[in-house]
Amino acid sequence: MEQDEAEMTEAQEAARHASARTARASALMQDYVELIDDLLSSTGEARPTDIARRLGVSHATAIKTIARLKREGLAHSKPYRGVFLTAAGHALANEVRARHRVVVDVLKALGVPPEVAEIDAEGIEHHVSDATLAAFEKFLGRS
């Protein structure tokens, strides 16, 4: 019996770690999509070089992640024209931006200074569950 419990605990721990890895990969893609959308809105183009510089990663890393966005159907590119978002990419960027705003607003409502709330929300927005986000919106009187 004790061995079964130990194996169950190991399986649960492995599942938690797998979930955390998936969340980190998803957060990375969300950051890229949001940045691409921001660049397209502000400058009209999102070049891999600009993406790499803004995210503080190498050009090769940006290219690799952009290729993943393309495989996931979130982005496409044109030769010599940069990266563009698909409808699904735009929808994800809007969703991430909305989640960010809710988290920032909750942190500010709790007394966190605005500049700190913006920084902290950058990590939290990707990991907060839909249930927690709904509770945040209820707390803010939005639902």
Side-chain angles (χ1 to χ4, degrees), residues 66-80:
I66 291 165
R68 184 167 173 222
L69 293 176
K70 290 178 187 179
R71 284 192 308 273
E72 297 287 331
L74 298 170
H76 62 92
S77 62
K78 297 178 183 175
Y80 311 106

Side-chain angles (χ1 to χ4, degrees), residues 99 103 107 117 119-129 136:
R99 292 173 73 85
V103 173
L107 293 174
I119 292 166
D120 289 350
E122 189 57 44
I124 296 169
E125 71 193 21
H126 301 296
H127 301 286
V128 66
S129 69
F136 284 177

Side-chain angles (χ1 to χ4, degrees), residues 41-87:
S41 295
S42 65
T43 67
E45 68 178 346
R47 299 176 309 157
T49 301
D50 298 328
I51 295 166
R53 190 179 70 251
R54 292 272 301 267
L55 291 175
V57 299
S58 71
H59 187 264
T61 297
I63 294 294
K64 180 180 172 185
T65 305
I66 291 165
R68 184 167 173 222
L69 293 176
K70 290 178 187 179
R71 284 192 308 273
E72 297 287 331
L74 298 170
H76 62 92
S77 62
K78 297 178 183 175
Y80 311 106
R81 297 235 11 248
V83 182
F84 299 89
L85 295 177
T86 62

